[in-house]
Amino acid sequence: QDTLSSLSEPVFIEIDEAISCPTDGVLLKGWQLSVPGAIRRIRVRSGPLAGEMVLSDSIGVARPDVIAAVGQKLGFSEIRCGFIAYVSGVISVGDVAYIEVELENGEVGFKNLKISKRSGINVIRRILEGIDVRYGEVDAAFDKVLGPAISSINAARLQEPSSVSEIEFGRTPDNPKC
C-alpha cells in the first residue's frame, strides 16, 4: 500500500517505468521531490531481497513538467528532480516490488512498483532514449546505471534462441561458383 502521503515530511516519488534487469536488478526512471535532508535512505524491496537506491549515483534528469505541475505549488524548484537509477539484487521473481522511504526522523513510507514486461533490444532502446548525460557525469552514468542495466538485459537477450529467416530470390543455381 502506498503510504508516502502519511509521512510528516512531504515526499513525492513517482516511477515512470521500472525495467527488469535479469536476473534480479531493476532500472528505475522517475522523479523525486522532498525537502533537502529529509530522506535518510530509499530502498527497493521484493520478497526477501532489498537494496538501496542512491540518488547521488543516479543520472539526474531535467523535469520541468514535474516542477510546473507539482513543484511550484509546493515550493520546489530543482529542475533536475528526475532520475534514472539502477539497483541490483532486489527483484525476487513472483514477489511484489516496492520502494521504502526512510526519513531522518525514522518514519517509513512505501510506494508500490509495477515492473515493466518489456525486454530485449526494445527495452535497451527505451533506456537510452532521451539520455542527456553531462560531461562530468559520464563515468558514473555508464559504470553505475546504464552499463550494468544494459549488460544484464543484453546477456538475457543473447540467451534466447535466435530465429533465422531464409528468403530466396529467383531460382538457385545448380552449381554456383560461390
Side-chain angles (χ1 to χ4, degrees):
Q1 181 175 340
D2 291 346
T3 61
L4 292 181
S5 62
S6 66
L7 295 173
S8 62
E9 294 281 346
V11 175
F12 302 92
I13 295 179
E14 290 298 330
I15 303 300
D16 299 321
E17 190 163 16
I19 298 170
S20 175
C21 301
T23 58
D24 57 8
V26 66
L27 182 120
L28 302 170
K29 293 178 101 173
W31 57 269
Q32 184 270 142
L33 293 172
S34 64
V35 175
I39 296 175
R40 179 178 295 156
R41 73 179 49 94
I42 301 171
R43 292 184 197 91
V44 178
R45 293 187 174 273
S46 175
L49 303 178
E52 191 165 350
M53 180 175 81
V54 181
L55 287 177
S56 61
D57 288 344
S58 70
I59 298 170
V61 178
R63 292 295 302 263
D65 60 320
V66 171
I67 297 303
V70 179
Q72 287 178 342
K73 290 181 240 175
L74 301 168
F76 296 107
S77 60
E78 175 54 49
I79 196 94
R80 286 176 59 90
C81 60
F83 62 82
I84 302 172
Y86 174 74
V87 186
S88 65
V90 294
I91 300 300
S92 174
V93 177
D95 287 315
V96 173
Y98 60 95
I99 293 175
E100 175 186 272
V101 177
E102 181 182 353
L103 299 182
E104 282 297 335
N105 66 13
E107 289 180 69
V108 177
F110 304 97
K111 174 92 178 155
N112 288 319
L113 273 180
K114 182 179 179 201
I115 306 295
S116 171
K117 300 292 184 199
R118 297 180 196 224
S119 64
I121 197 73
N122 290 329
V123 79
I124 292 172
R125 286 186 184 116
R126 172 77 176 130
I127 290 169
L128 293 173
E129 79 183 18
I131 297 280
D132 180 24
V133 179
R134 297 174 183 187
Y135 176 76
E137 301 167 337
V138 171
D139 288 344
F142 283 91
D143 291 346
K144 295 180 180 179
V145 180
L146 300 175
I150 291 171
S151 293
S152 69
I153 293 167
N154 196 49
R157 182 184 73 84
L158 294 174
Q159 294 299 315
E160 296 174 8
S162 59
S163 61
V164 177
S165 298
E166 181 179 339
I167 301 172
E168 291 187 30
F169 295 95
R171 190 176 84 68
T172 305
D174 292 330
N175 292 319
K177 292 184 180 179
C178 38

